């Protein structure tokens, strides 16, 4: 019988180690395959979600409900509000049940994969320690590395690494926002909140619970913040002239030859620029700091103090 | 370094040349416009970035 590396000198060790390796690998393989346990992090549910979805879909034939709604013989005007609310509520329940199933299944798969991979890796490492031959250790070590590497590869490619919790949180928040609009609408008459609006809001509610919807929401939020930052930036680009003691000291430090000579002292200019950059004023011209309006007064005072520039009252 | 357009309004006549020199010292192209009250509006344009718009303080 050949050892794991085919070298006769290690054959005896490999043969003795093989039952242990086989037993260990079988144990961890069984742990990862065909093993049913409760989803980690989820208490036992009192109903079968998938069955309930099927039951609801059977009970509420939504296409027929919409047709009935618009047929005045089936749904006269005085019953349209109740019909609208029933239809919207049914769709809400189905969307919610499917969403819960989606999110929990996603988390389950990742956690399952983590558990399986960790157990398998542990088992392989144990087996590596147990066997005596260097070649066996090398092979098992390589297999262990392969398991770890595979897990990392799957994590990167399929589970969005650490962005998954962010996406779920974003979806939850976005769904709540849309739900408020739907619940508010259902308190209104059909004239103020027609079924068409309700159906449109339901589509938005579903979309809010998708990864694409979450990514768009994150992007829009970032865009809004950029617009706000732009508005703040535009604000400080336009100023009016103000002369004060600190400003005059800075101006003189920067242009020592004033008032006749407006040549700048390059070293002092670099010093002021460096101070401004360090204080978040990278985009502000020195001259705006020196003679800008009262918004810059405290900054001027701070600059002369920290740069030890003498101030003449 | 600053980018885009920066303006400073109501600059007194006696100080406008100093203010213009200050903006030019950091690479801006500077124009000025006289206001009805005798003060100046100085506009400094730096390479790159976005415009600050024309709103006055």
């Amino acid at each position: 019988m050949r050892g794991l590396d085919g070298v006769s000198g290690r054959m005896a060790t490999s043969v003795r180690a093989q039952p242990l390796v086989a037993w260990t690998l079988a144990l961890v393989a069984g742990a990862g395959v065909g093993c049913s346990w409760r989803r980690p992090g989820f208490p036992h549910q009192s109903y079968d979600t998938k069955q309930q979805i099927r039951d609801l879909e059977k009970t509420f034939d939504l296409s027929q409900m919409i047709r009935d709604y618009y047929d005045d013989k089936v749904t006269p005007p005085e019953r349209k509000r109740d019909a609208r609310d029933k239809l919207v509520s049914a769709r809400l329940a189905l969307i919610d049940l499917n969403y819960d199933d989606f999110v929990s299944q996603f988390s389950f798969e990742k956690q399952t994969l983590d558990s399986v991979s960790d157990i398998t890796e542990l088992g392989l490492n144990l087996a590596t320690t147990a066997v005596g031959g260097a070649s066996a250790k090398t092979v098992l070590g390589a297999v262990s590395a392969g398991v770890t590497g595979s897990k990392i590869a799957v994590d990167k490619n399929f589970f969005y690494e650490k962005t998954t919790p962010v996406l779920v949180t974003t979806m939850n928040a976005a769904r709540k926002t849309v739900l408020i609009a739907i619940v508010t609408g259902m308190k209104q008459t059909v004239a103020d909140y027609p079924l068409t609006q309700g159906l449109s809001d339901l589509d938005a509610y579903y979309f809010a619970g998708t990864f694409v919807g979450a990514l768009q929401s994150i992007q829009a939020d970032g865009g809004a913040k950029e617009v706000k930052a732009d508005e703040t930036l535009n604000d400080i680009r336009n100023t009016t002239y103000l002369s004060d003691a600190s400003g005059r000291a800075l101006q003189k430090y920067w242009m020592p030859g004033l008032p006749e000579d407006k040549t700048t002292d390059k070293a002092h200019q670099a010093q002021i620029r460096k101070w401004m950059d360090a204080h978040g004023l990278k985009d502000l011209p020195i001259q705006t700091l020196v003679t800008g309006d009262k918004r810059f007064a405290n900054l001027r005072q701070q600059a002369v103090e920290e740069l030890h520039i003498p101030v003449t009252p | 370094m600053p980018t885009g357009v920066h303006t400073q309004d109501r600059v007194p006549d006696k100080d406008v040349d100093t203010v213009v020199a200050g903006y030019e010292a950091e690479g801006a192209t500077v124009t000025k416009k006289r206001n009805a009250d005798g003060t100046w509006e100085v506009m400094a344009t730096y390479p790159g970035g976005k415009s600050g718009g024309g709103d006055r303080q």
Side-chain angles (χ1 to χ4, degrees):
Chain A
M1 185 183 300
R2 296 175 66 81
L4 287 171
D5 65 350
V7 175
S8 59
R10 297 183 180 84
M11 189 185 301
T13 307
S14 299
V15 168
R16 279 201 301 275
Q18 276 185 3
L20 175 62
V21 171
W23 176 80
T24 307
L25 290 178
L27 173 68
V28 301
V33 177
C35 176
S36 62
W37 59 55
R38 183 173 299 160
R39 295 175 180 182
F42 289 90
H44 178 68
Q45 187 53 283
S46 59
Y47 54 85
D48 181 337
T49 309
K50 290 193 188 330
Q51 183 60 48
Q52 182 155 103
I53 291 171
R54 283 192 290 271
D55 290 342
L56 279 171
E57 285 172 343
K58 228 184 289 183
T59 306
F60 297 103
D61 180 350
L62 295 171
S63 302
Q64 187 59 49
M65 287 175 78
I66 294 174
R67 282 193 288 273
D68 288 347
Y69 177 89
Y70 286 108
D71 185 344
D72 283 352
K73 291 197 194 100
V74 176
T75 311
E78 63 272 14
R79 286 173 46 197
K80 287 220 190 287
R81 182 169 171 172
D82 284 344
R84 176 201 69 186
D85 293 349
K86 186 175 172 186
L87 201 158
V88 170
S89 299
R91 282 282 297 272
L92 271 176
L94 281 167
I95 292 172
D96 281 345
L97 285 170
N98 278 303
Y99 176 77
D100 289 348
D101 195 48
F102 165 66
V103 171
S104 63
Q105 193 175 54
F106 186 84
S107 302
F108 169 60
E109 284 173 0
K110 185 176 189 314
Q111 287 163 3
T112 303
L113 180 68
D114 285 348
S115 303
V116 170
S117 299
D118 289 345
I119 292 169
T120 306
E121 195 180 329
L122 180 62
L124 287 168
N125 288 338
L126 286 173
T128 305
T129 306
V131 300
S135 59
K137 283 184 192 290
T138 303
V139 170
L140 288 171
V143 172
S144 176
V147 169
T148 309
S150 299
K151 176 172 171 292
I152 290 172
V154 174
D155 275 349
K156 277 190 189 304
N157 294 330
F158 297 104
F159 291 108
Y160 306 96
E161 293 184 357
K162 295 191 176 95
T163 62
T164 305
V166 173
L167 290 171
V168 172
T169 303
T170 304
M171 289 191 296
N172 289 343
R175 277 160 45 85
K176 275 185 195 157
T177 303
V178 181
L179 183 61
I180 289 171
I182 295 172
V183 169
T184 304
M186 286 167 69
K187 292 180 185 166
Q188 298 171 332
T189 64
V190 291
D192 292 328
Y193 191 69
L195 178 63
T196 47
Q197 184 60 53
L199 292 174
S200 175
D201 287 347
L202 284 165
D203 279 345
Y205 186 61
Y206 165 76
F207 186 70
T210 65
F211 279 170
V212 171
L215 289 169
Q216 284 188 4
S217 182
I218 290 169
Q219 193 172 24
D221 189 47
K225 282 182 180 154
E226 185 182 356
V227 167
K228 186 71 184 160
D230 274 349
E231 286 171 357
T232 305
L233 193 60
N234 285 341
D235 218 25
I236 64 170
R237 287 171 185 265
N238 305 305
T239 183
T240 51
Y241 177 89
L242 177 66
S243 175
D244 57 27
S246 295
R248 288 190 291 274
L250 273 167
Q251 194 84 70
K252 185 75 175 170
Y253 186 72
W254 187 19
M255 298 174 183
L258 285 175
E260 296 82 19
D261 183 6
K262 293 166 183 53
T263 309
T264 59
D265 182 312
K266 295 297 178 206
H268 289 177
Q269 177 171 318
Q271 199 179 5
I272 297 169
R273 181 80 259 158
K274 188 177 171 184
W275 183 91
M276 291 175 71
D277 291 352
H279 287 75
L281 303 172
K282 200 161 49 115
D283 196 50
L284 192 73
I286 296 176
Q287 190 58 54
T288 300
L289 173 69
V290 171
T291 52
D293 58 49
K294 62 183 179 184
R295 292 175 296 161
F296 305 98
N298 287 340
L299 283 167
R300 284 194 280 272
Q301 190 173 351
Q302 186 181 350
V304 297
E305 284 170 10
E306 293 182 10
L307 292 172
H308 308 293
I309 298 170
V311 177
T312 307
Chain B
M1 287 302 289
T3 59
V5 179
H6 297 255
T7 65
Q8 190 164 143
D9 200 5
R10 298 193 208 139
V11 180
D13 190 62
K14 65 179 178 63
D15 296 315
V16 67
D17 291 338
T18 302
V19 170
V20 168
Y23 284 119
E24 286 177 340
E26 288 197 287
T29 303
V30 185
T31 60
K32 58 185 184 186
K33 189 178 72 174
R34 195 170 187 115
N35 297 320
D37 62 0
T39 62
W40 295 86
E41 182 188 23
V42 175
M43 182 180 291
T45 304
Y46 294 86
K50 298 175 187 175
S51 170
D55 292 335
R56 293 188 177 191
Q57 291 298 316

